[in-house]
């Protein structure tokens, strides 16, 4: 039982897929968008987060949609090319959305005062001046803890691709790298248009 529970934390997509994962994922995106709006924390890309110059609510919504739909498009198109199985778009949409649920916990960290101080810090200061700011080291440690939830999301995205596109081996690895790292570059370019 304990082993199954741990496996579910690593790969929930053996039990949750299709419409169920899409609905959970969309609900999670709404929560994540609201949290980002109130903490002023932006998604600059799939792997990049921080402050940004546009505080409009629609900007946060667009960021979340881009961070969801770009990897979906890359995974789906890659799955059609590389997989011998029938790929359903709803499975890719749902599993990628669900895979981003751990980002909600990461977003909660941004409400903590040391993290808010980091976001407001002048990045043109020298490292010595930054380290003298109150709460700087605590903010760095909190960032590292929050980073665990980004890693968790990336693990789930790997499992989402594996299950929704029925891939394994080098094809899975190549498409995952293209979807995540290439997706991050595309997301950053598209999101930059909002600023």
């Amino acid at each position: 039982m304990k082993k199954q529970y741990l496996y579910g934390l690593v790969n929930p997509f053996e039990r949750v897929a299709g419409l169920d994962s899409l609905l959970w994922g969309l609900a999670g995106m709404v929560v994540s968008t609201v949290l980002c709006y109130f903490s002023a924390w932006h998604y600059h890309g799939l792997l990049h987060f921080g402050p940004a110059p546009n505080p409009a609510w629609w900007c946060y919504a667009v960021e979340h949609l881009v961070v969801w739909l770009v990897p979906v498009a890359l995974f789906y198109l890659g799955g059609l090319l590389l997989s011998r199985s029938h790929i359903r778009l709803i499975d890719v949409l749902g599993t990628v959305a669900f895979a981003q649920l751990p980002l909600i916990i990461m977003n909660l960290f941004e409400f903590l005062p040391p993290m808010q101080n980091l976001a407001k810090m002048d990045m043109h200061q020298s490292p010595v001046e930054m380290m003298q700011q109150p709460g700087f080291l605590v903010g760095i440690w909190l960032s590292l803890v929050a980073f665990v939830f980004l890693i968790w999301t990336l693990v789930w995205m790997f499992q989402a691709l594996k299950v929704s596109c029925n891939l394994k081996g080098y094809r899975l690895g190549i498409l995952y790298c293209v979807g995540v790292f290439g997706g991050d570059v595309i997301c950053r370019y598209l999101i930059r248009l909002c600023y």
Side-chain angles (χ1 to χ4, degrees), residues 75-97:
F75 285 176
Y76 183 69
L77 293 173
L80 291 176
L81 290 172
L82 298 175
S83 179
R84 294 184 181 96
S85 300
H86 173 70
I87 310 292
R88 294 187 334 153
L89 180 59
I90 192 162
D91 289 332
V92 181
L93 285 166
T95 55
V96 172

Side-chain angles (χ1 to χ4, degrees), residues 111-128:
F111 285 96
L112 299 172
M115 298 297 284
Q116 289 287 313
N117 291 341
L118 277 182
K120 294 173 188 167
M121 194 173 289
D122 179 12
M123 292 299 147
H124 296 96
Q125 295 177 345
S126 71
V128 174

Side-chain angles (χ1 to χ4, degrees), residues 4-22:
Q4 286 180 325
Y5 179 74
L6 289 174
Y7 183 72
L9 289 176
V10 174
N11 185 6
F13 305 113
E14 296 294 329
R15 294 185 179 179
V16 181
L19 185 59
D20 288 341
S21 64
L22 179 60

Side-chain angles (χ1 to χ4, degrees), residues 128-183:
V128 174
E129 290 174 315
M130 285 186 189
M131 289 182 68
Q132 292 173 350
Q133 298 291 326
F136 176 77
L137 291 177
V138 174
I140 295 298
W141 282 108
L142 288 172
S143 296
L144 292 173
V145 174
F147 187 69
V148 168
F149 296 99
L150 175 61
I151 299 295
W152 191 358
T153 295
L154 293 174
V155 169
W156 275 11
M157 286 184 73
F158 179 83
Q159 298 296 348
L161 174 62
K162 182 179 177 182
V163 170
S164 66
C165 293
N166 194 23
L167 287 170
K168 52 185 156 186
Y170 74 92
R171 292 177 182 190
L172 173 62
I174 290 170
L175 184 52
Y176 178 74
C177 289
V178 168
V180 171
F181 298 111

